[in-house]
Amino acid sequence: MIFILTGAGISRESGLETFRDAAGLWNKVRIEDVATIEAFRRNPQKVYEFYNQRRRQLLSIEPNAAHRALAELEKSGQKIFLVTQNVDNLHERSGSTVVLHMHGRLLAAACQECGLSLEWPGDLGGDDKCPGCGGTLRPDVVWFGEKPYYLDEIERAINQCRVFVSIGTSGTVYPAAGLVTRAKANGTRTVELNLEPSRNRSSFDQGFYGPATEVVPVWVESVLAQGNKC
Ligand code: APR
């Protein structure tokens, strides 16, 4: 099984900003203003609007060749475990069938009171209430200081995979950034595909650098050419 971890870099060429590059989101908006529970309590309108804009933007863009290459890899019969830090749905829209969104999903809302998660493709605001308990709805994304989703499943997969591949992530945000170290400690082969070497470069056995739409299809081709499945 190949464990694949993706980050904002894979969606960059679809038109979504990354977070920490010069033109990245966190250089335009302060994390403390839009991506913490304290920000939501202090100024829910600002937080709703930030995510409403991102939701609208997502609905106007398309998956790219890197997303499609990973979907092809799955279709080939190669067993993969796809975990993304991205809240977009571009993997699903390119045909990947099982995608674990460890930082949540932009097109979902969650109830603050009962935790119910709802598909939410449109704008979200303070007047929208939970259909179950009437509680306040928030974007179903994992904010700073909150626990990511699927950590148990991720833990199991890290211990089973034969190859660990990181695509388009700066390796800054934990626990995602620590997964490569865990995989390496198990003796798993580790590969990085990114625009440039990440902070974790020394933990990767191999690195291929360039835009995701170029390096990901080439890497997928090389896996398919090997024939024998990991
Ligand atoms: N192709 C491949 N990689 C790219 C491209 C591209 N076209 N453009 C940028 N990159 C790389 C950058 O060099 C960088 O290493 O993608 C990485 C993006 O890093 P970040 O902006 O830090 O995004 P990410 O690692 O996904 O962030 C992790 O932080 O706040 C958050 O919750 C958010 O899930 C996100 C988490």
Side-chain angles (χ1 to χ4, degrees), residues 6-13 17-21 24-26 31 35 54 84-87 102-103 142-144 167-173 176 192-199 210-213 215-216:
T6 66
I10 195 167
S11 298
R12 179 67 197 94
E13 290 160 89
E17 297 98 334
T18 56
F19 294 94
R20 295 173 184 79
D21 295 302
L25 268 182
W26 297 152
I31 287 173
R54 294 182 67 201
T84 186
Q85 297 168 87
N86 300 342
V87 294
M102 66 184 295
H103 292 166
V142 176
W143 286 326
F144 284 86
I167 303 176
T169 174
S170 61
T172 314
V173 173
E192 167 164 83
L193 309 177
N194 205 31
L195 192 58
E196 60 202 3
S198 70
R199 285 186 175 209
T213 56
V215 293
V216 177

Side-chain angles (χ1 to χ4, degrees), residues 26-85:
W26 297 152
N27 282 316
K28 297 179 190 156
V29 191
R30 282 169 14 117
I31 287 173
E32 301 78 19
D33 289 340
V34 294
T36 64
I37 188 67
E38 292 78 16
F40 185 60
R41 288 193 185 118
R42 202 167 49 238
N43 190 346
Q45 199 44 46
K46 183 174 183 135
V47 175
Y48 282 131
E49 193 43 40
F50 175 72
Y51 289 96
N52 285 344
Q53 275 177 21
R54 294 182 67 201
R55 211 174 287 114
R56 287 179 215 139
Q57 180 189 25
L58 174 58
L59 296 174
S60 71
I61 57 142
E62 299 292 332
N64 65 47
H67 299 105
R68 287 194 292 274
L70 295 184
E72 271 171 36
L73 183 60
E74 180 190 328
K75 276 197 203 92
S76 76
Q78 168 64 57
K79 193 157 188 265
I80 65 171
F81 189 86
L82 179 56
V83 177
T84 186
Q85 297 168 87

